[in-house]
PDB file of all heavy atoms in Angstrom:
ATOM      1  N   LYS A1468      60.109 122.610  64.092  1.00 67.00           N
ATOM      2  CA  LYS A1468      61.391 123.127  64.691  1.00 67.00           C
ATOM      3  C   LYS A1468      62.365 121.995  64.821  1.00 67.00           C
ATOM      4  O   LYS A1468      61.917 120.807  65.326  1.00 67.00           O
ATOM      5  CB  LYS A1468      60.992 123.727  66.118  1.00 67.00           C
ATOM      6  CG  LYS A1468      60.304 125.012  65.879  1.00 67.00           C
ATOM      7  CD  LYS A1468      59.893 125.524  67.335  1.00 67.00           C
ATOM      8  CE  LYS A1468      58.747 124.838  67.999  1.00 67.00           C
ATOM      9  NZ  LYS A1468      57.458 124.763  67.367  1.00 67.00           N
ATOM     10  N   ALA A1469      63.651 122.154  64.602  1.00 68.00           N
ATOM     11  CA  ALA A1469      64.717 121.330  64.833  1.00 68.00           C
ATOM     12  C   ALA A1469      66.013 121.989  64.992  1.00 68.00           C
ATOM     13  O   ALA A1469      66.303 123.016  64.423  1.00 68.00           O
ATOM     14  CB  ALA A1469      64.783 120.359  63.450  1.00 68.00           C
ATOM     15  N   GLY A1470      66.793 121.440  65.938  1.00 68.00           N
ATOM     16  CA  GLY A1470      68.116 122.144  66.222  1.00 68.00           C
ATOM     17  C   GLY A1470      67.962 123.219  67.307  1.00 68.00           C
ATOM     18  O   GLY A1470      67.067 123.203  68.010  1.00 68.00           O
ATOM     19  N   ARG A1471      69.045 124.023  67.370  1.00 74.00           N
ATOM     20  CA  ARG A1471      69.021 125.084  68.469  1.00 74.00           C
ATOM     21  C   ARG A1471      68.166 126.267  68.049  1.00 74.00           C
ATOM     22  O   ARG A1471      68.134 126.623  67.001  1.00 74.00           O
ATOM     23  CB  ARG A1471      70.471 125.540  68.619  1.00 74.00           C
ATOM     24  CG  ARG A1471      70.657 126.516  69.700  1.00 74.00           C
ATOM     25  CD  ARG A1471      70.836 125.909  70.997  1.00 74.00           C
ATOM     26  NE  ARG A1471      71.036 126.884  72.040  1.00 74.00           N
ATOM     27  CZ  ARG A1471      70.604 126.858  73.206  1.00 74.00           C
ATOM     28  NH1 ARG A1471      69.801 125.886  73.559  1.00 74.00           N
ATOM     29  NH2 ARG A1471      70.671 127.834  73.988  1.00 74.00           N
ATOM     30  N   ARG A1472      67.329 126.624  68.976  1.00 70.00           N
ATOM     31  CA  ARG A1472      66.368 127.794  68.839  1.00 70.00           C
ATOM     32  C   ARG A1472      66.581 128.849  69.747  1.00 70.00           C
ATOM     33  O   ARG A1472      67.068 128.573  70.969  1.00 70.00           O
ATOM     34  CB  ARG A1472      65.041 127.353  68.810  1.00 70.00           C
ATOM     35  CG  ARG A1472      64.528 126.497  67.649  1.00 70.00           C
ATOM     36  CD  ARG A1472      64.257 127.209  66.458  1.00 70.00           C
ATOM     37  NE  ARG A1472      63.943 126.297  65.307  1.00 70.00           N
ATOM     38  CZ  ARG A1472      63.138 126.617  64.382  1.00 70.00           C
ATOM     39  NH1 ARG A1472      62.633 127.788  64.390  1.00 70.00           N
ATOM     40  NH2 ARG A1472      62.947 125.825  63.429  1.00 70.00           N
ATOM     41  N   SER A1473      66.091 129.975  69.676  1.00 69.00           N
ATOM     42  CA  SER A1473      65.891 131.060  70.580  1.00 69.00           C
ATOM     43  C   SER A1473      64.813 130.632  71.403  1.00 69.00           C
ATOM     44  O   SER A1473      64.227 129.683  71.272  1.00 69.00           O
ATOM     45  CB  SER A1473      65.734 132.440  69.922  1.00 69.00           C
ATOM     46  OG  SER A1473      66.816 132.760  69.035  1.00 69.00           O
ATOM     47  N   THR A1474      64.316 131.621  72.251  1.00 83.00           N
ATOM     48  CA  THR A1474      63.130 131.327  73.084  1.00 83.00           C
ATOM     49  C   THR A1474      61.858 131.236  72.293  1.00 83.00           C
ATOM     50  O   THR A1474      61.652 132.032  71.460  1.00 83.00           O
ATOM     51  CB  THR A1474      62.979 132.404  74.231  1.00 83.00           C
ATOM     52  OG1 THR A1474      64.213 132.433  74.947  1.00 83.00           O
ATOM     53  CG2 THR A1474      61.957 132.189  75.088  1.00 83.00           C
ATOM     54  N   VAL A1475      61.118 130.186  72.522  1.00 86.00           N
ATOM     55  CA  VAL A1475      59.821 129.945  71.913  1.00 86.00           C
ATOM     56  C   VAL A1475      58.785 130.237  73.032  1.00 86.00           C
ATOM     57  O   VAL A1475      58.777 129.709  74.118  1.00 86.00           O
ATOM     58  CB  VAL A1475      59.629 128.497  71.444  1.00 86.00           C
ATOM     59  CG1 VAL A1475      58.282 128.308  70.822  1.00 86.00           C
ATOM     60  CG2 VAL A1475      60.712 128.325  70.379  1.00 86.00           C
ATOM     61  N   HIS A1476      57.820 131.066  72.664  1.00 87.00           N
ATOM     62  CA  HIS A1476      56.731 131.576  73.593  1.00 87.00           C
ATOM     63  C   HIS A1476      55.507 130.630  73.286  1.00 87.00           C
ATOM     64  O   HIS A1476      55.084 130.752  72.206  1.00 87.00           O
ATOM     65  CB  HIS A1476      56.473 133.011  73.525  1.00 87.00           C
ATOM     66  CG  HIS A1476      57.692 133.669  73.836  1.00 87.00           C
ATOM     67  ND1 HIS A1476      58.053 134.217  75.147  1.00 87.00           N
ATOM     68  CD2 HIS A1476      58.745 134.170  73.155  1.00 87.00           C
ATOM     69  CE1 HIS A1476      59.093 134.837  75.165  1.00 87.00           C
ATOM     70  NE2 HIS A1476      59.537 135.083  73.900  1.00 87.00           N
ATOM     71  N   HIS A1477      54.995 129.986  74.280  1.00 85.00           N
ATOM     72  CA  HIS A1477      53.802 129.236  74.016  1.00 85.00           C
ATOM     73  C   HIS A1477      52.594 129.912  74.389  1.00 85.00           C
ATOM     74  O   HIS A1477      52.704 130.937  75.221  1.00 85.00           O
ATOM     75  CB  HIS A1477      53.865 127.866  74.912  1.00 85.00           C
ATOM     76  CG  HIS A1477      54.976 126.944  74.523  1.00 85.00           C
ATOM     77  ND1 HIS A1477      55.053 126.178  73.491  1.00 85.00           N
ATOM     78  CD2 HIS A1477      56.113 126.801  75.047  1.00 85.00           C
ATOM     79  CE1 HIS A1477      56.057 125.492  73.348  1.00 85.00           C
ATOM     80  NE2 HIS A1477      56.871 125.824  74.354  1.00 85.00           N
ATOM     81  N   PRO A1478      51.416 129.691  73.837  1.00 85.00           N
ATOM     82  CA  PRO A1478      50.197 130.491  74.017  1.00 85.00           C
ATOM     83  C   PRO A1478      49.779 130.635  75.520  1.00 85.00           C
ATOM     84  O   PRO A1478      49.323 131.513  76.011  1.00 85.00           O
ATOM     85  CB  PRO A1478      49.161 129.775  73.214  1.00 85.00           C
ATOM     86  CG  PRO A1478      49.849 128.956  72.185  1.00 85.00           C
ATOM     87  CD  PRO A1478      51.106 128.613  72.746  1.00 85.00           C
ATOM     88  N   GLY A1479      50.045 129.414  76.257  1.00 89.00           N
ATOM     89  CA  GLY A1479      49.744 129.555  77.672  1.00 89.00           C
ATOM     90  C   GLY A1479      50.570 130.436  78.541  1.00 89.00           C
ATOM     91  O   GLY A1479      50.299 130.498  79.698  1.00 89.00           O
ATOM     92  N   GLY A1480      51.657 130.866  78.002  1.00 93.00           N
ATOM     93  CA  GLY A1480      52.455 131.766  78.728  1.00 93.00           C
ATOM     94  C   GLY A1480      53.861 131.033  79.124  1.00 93.00           C
ATOM     95  O   GLY A1480      54.684 131.740  79.537  1.00 93.00           O
ATOM     96  N   SER A1481      54.000 129.843  78.791  1.00 95.00           N
ATOM     97  CA  SER A1481      55.322 129.144  79.189  1.00 95.00           C
ATOM     98  C   SER A1481      56.356 129.541  78.129  1.00 95.00           C
ATOM     99  O   SER A1481      55.916 129.850  76.899  1.00 95.00           O
ATOM    100  CB  SER A1481      55.145 127.647  79.109  1.00 95.00           C
ATOM    101  OG  SER A1481      54.308 127.168  79.977  1.00 95.00           O
ATOM    102  N   THR A1482      57.558 129.490  78.336  1.00 94.00           N
ATOM    103  CA  THR A1482      58.686 129.729  77.409  1.00 94.00           C
ATOM    104  C   THR A1482      59.696 128.494  77.465  1.00 94.00           C
ATOM    105  O   THR A1482      59.920 127.948  78.546  1.00 94.00           O
ATOM    106  CB  THR A1482      59.342 131.128  77.647  1.00 94.00           C
ATOM    107  OG1 THR A1482      60.014 131.101  79.020  1.00 94.00           O
ATOM    108  CG2 THR A1482      58.580 132.266  77.603  1.00 94.00           C
ATOM    109  N   TYR A1483      60.190 128.298  76.356  1.00 94.00           N
ATOM    110  CA  TYR A1483      61.222 127.236  76.184  1.00 94.00           C
ATOM    111  C   TYR A1483      62.306 127.627  75.368  1.00 94.00           C
ATOM    112  O   TYR A1483      62.164 128.280  74.307  1.00 94.00           O
ATOM    113  CB  TYR A1483      60.675 125.920  75.482  1.00 94.00           C
ATOM    114  CG  TYR A1483      61.657 124.803  75.447  1.00 94.00           C
ATOM    115  CD1 TYR A1483      62.144 124.169  76.444  1.00 94.00           C
ATOM    116  CD2 TYR A1483      62.278 124.712  74.094  1.00 94.00           C
ATOM    117  CE1 TYR A1483      63.167 123.141  76.213  1.00 94.00           C
ATOM    118  CE2 TYR A1483      63.289 123.745  73.931  1.00 94.00           C
ATOM    119  CZ  TYR A1483      63.679 122.992  74.999  1.00 94.00           C
ATOM    120  OH  TYR A1483      64.703 122.107  74.788  1.00 94.00           O
ATOM    121  N   THR A1484      63.536 127.544  75.882  1.00 94.00           N
ATOM    122  CA  THR A1484      64.741 127.926  75.221  1.00 94.00           C
ATOM    123  C   THR A1484      65.675 126.690  75.107  1.00 94.00           C
ATOM    124  O   THR A1484      65.958 126.144  76.285  1.00 94.00           O
ATOM    125  CB  THR A1484      65.522 129.143  75.867  1.00 94.00           C
ATOM    126  OG1 THR A1484      64.715 130.189  76.092  1.00 94.00           O
ATOM    127  CG2 THR A1484      66.697 129.590  75.082  1.00 94.00           C
ATOM    128  N   GLY A1485      66.004 126.315  73.951  1.00 94.00           N
ATOM    129  CA  GLY A1485      66.854 125.064  73.936  1.00 94.00           C
ATOM    130  C   GLY A1485      66.796 124.441  72.506  1.00 94.00           C
ATOM    131  O   GLY A1485      66.374 124.999  71.558  1.00 94.00           O
TER     132      GLY A1485
END
Side-chain angles (χ1 to χ4, degrees):
K1468 294 178 285 298
R1471 182 84 178 137
R1472 292 281 177 147
S1473 298
T1474 300
V1475 174
H1476 300 271
H1477 298 280
S1481 297
T1482 59
Y1483 175 79
T1484 304

